[in-house]
């Protein structure tokens, strides 16, 4: 029997939890619902989920306290966590990422967005290899040859921009804070201002040109992400859930 990825939904509002669970099941996931931290811990103790959808505001320990706890626990350390946050709560998003969440989803969110983000975190569980080739849409990057191309044409980027693009492309559709990018791209031991990230993103966009450059999105108050579908492009109407 095929293993269905098991998603633990930690959400205290039954209507939202039900809607999420139904959509997950329709899309080939096994959904398990827990209404608070204690119930979630009970589920985790009985079977480790493949990913956790974690509401921020919960009775008892908050989502952020739970994210910290599960990140610190060797058993749950590698389980992807997606935080559910209230609309426009920018400091929450940063705090969620700092607490160890892999991504966040803002309520109200579309079902398609939620499914895309879950699939993305599950893909990212596969171990990384620096020499891998990666492509998103018509943007391609080869780690072995250190080449970047857009629509088959080579693009010249500087070494820091290459590393930045490589990291973003290997972790697409998720937002990375400036501090996370400094840690992952520049390394833990450097002391650089966060503004440096902005400078290199600007250079990278200029090197890529307007179309490919638009794939590197600024998420206000949070950081950057690479997306196959830039929000500047026309988006089809989506069913929204909240
Ligand atoms: Ca809640």
């Amino acid at each position: 029997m095929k293993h269905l990825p098991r998603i633990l939904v930690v959400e205290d509002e039954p209507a939202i939890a039900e809607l999420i669970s139904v959509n997950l099941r329709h899309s080939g996931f096994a959904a398990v619902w827990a209404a608070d931290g204690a119930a979630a811990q009970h589920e985790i103790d009985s079977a480790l989920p493949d990913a956790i959808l974690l509401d921020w505001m919960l009775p008892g320990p908050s989502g952020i306290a739970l994210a910290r706890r599960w990140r610190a626990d060797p058993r749950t350390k590698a389980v992807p966590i997606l935080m559910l946050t209230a609309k426009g709560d920018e400091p929450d998003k940063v705090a969620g990422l700092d607490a160890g969440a892999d991504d966040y989803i803002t309520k109200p969110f579309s079902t398609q967005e939620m499914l895309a983000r879950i699939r993305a975190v599950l893909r990212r569980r596969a171990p990384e290899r620096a020499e891998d080739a990666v492509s998103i849409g018509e943007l391609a990057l080869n780690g072995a040859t250190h080449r970047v191309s857009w629509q088959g044409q080579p693009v010249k980027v500087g070494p820091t921009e290459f590393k930045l693009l490589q990291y973003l492309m290997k972790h697409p559709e998720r937002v990375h804070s400036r501090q996370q990018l400094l840690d992952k791209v520049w390394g833990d031991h450097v002391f650089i201002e966060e503004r440096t990230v902005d400078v290199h993103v600007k250079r990278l966009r200029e090197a890529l040109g307007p179309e490919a450059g638009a794939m590197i999105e600024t998420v206000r108050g949070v950081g950057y992400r690479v997306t196959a579908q830039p929000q500047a492009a026309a988006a089809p109407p989506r069913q929204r859930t909240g």
Side-chain angles (χ1 to χ4, degrees):
M1 198 183 118
K2 190 169 163 259
H3 167 75
L4 297 179
R6 192 166 175 273
I7 313 296
L8 177 60
V9 181
V10 190
E11 166 65 70
D12 57 314
E13 291 170 64
I16 297 177
E18 178 65 18
L19 195 60
I20 292 174
S21 301
V22 164
N23 280 300
L24 287 173
R25 289 190 192 112
H26 282 173
S27 303
F29 296 99
V32 181
W33 175 38
D36 58 24
Q41 190 63 56
H42 182 77
E43 291 296 340
I44 288 172
D45 291 345
S46 65
L48 200 62
D50 292 290
I52 302 170
L53 270 176
L54 179 58
D55 188 27
W56 177 281
M57 296 295 290
L58 291 166
S62 70
I64 202 131
L66 294 171
R68 283 211 186 90
R69 183 205 291 173
W70 293 331
R71 275 293 165 268
D73 183 337
R75 186 159 174 267
T76 44
K77 199 174 161 52
V79 177
I81 297 174
L82 290 100
M83 295 284 307
L84 300 170
T85 66
K87 190 169 185 289
D89 233 339
E90 307 293 353
D92 278 9
K93 290 172 189 168
V94 174
L97 294 170
D98 286 348
D102 293 83
D103 202 351
Y104 68 86
I105 303 173
T106 306
K107 293 187 202 177
F109 52 84
S110 79
T111 303
Q112 290 312 311
E113 179 188 1
M114 176 189 78
L115 294 170
R117 295 198 181 285
I118 291 173
R119 289 193 187 102
V121 294
L122 291 176
R123 274 199 303 275
R124 288 200 297 270
R125 296 185 81 192
E128 268 182 60
R129 304 213 329 258
E131 69 272 23
D132 281 350
V134 56
S135 64
I136 297 172
E138 296 187 274
L139 182 62
L141 178 145
N142 189 314
T145 60
H146 267 248
R147 288 208 170 113
V148 177
S149 68
W150 168 247
Q151 296 181 331
Q153 299 300 310
V155 177
K156 201 172 182 320
V157 301
T160 303
E161 285 73 46
F162 183 90
K163 279 174 71 182
L164 179 61
L165 182 63
Q166 185 175 38
Y167 183 76
L168 289 170
M169 286 181 74
K170 285 190 152 209
H171 305 84
E173 308 295 342
R174 68 167 285 187
V175 184
H176 306 273
S177 71
R178 289 168 178 80
Q179 190 57 53
Q180 287 173 325
L181 289 171
L182 284 176
D183 290 346
K184 301 290 184 183
V185 177
W186 278 262
D188 289 332
H189 306 294
V190 290
F191 182 79
I192 306 176
E193 288 180 35
E194 294 193 359
R195 206 171 54 81
T196 304
V197 177
D198 303 334
V199 172
H200 286 277
V201 167
K202 185 166 179 284
R203 278 186 204 159
L204 178 56
R205 284 190 184 127
E206 284 167 359
L208 292 173
E211 278 182 278
M215 291 170 69
I216 300 167
E217 285 190 340
T218 303
V219 180
R220 270 188 65 183
V222 187
Y224 295 101
R225 76 165 151 233
V226 156
T227 178
Q229 292 168 304
Q231 292 194 342
R238 298 188 296 186
Q239 180 202 345
R240 300 200 78 86
T241 59

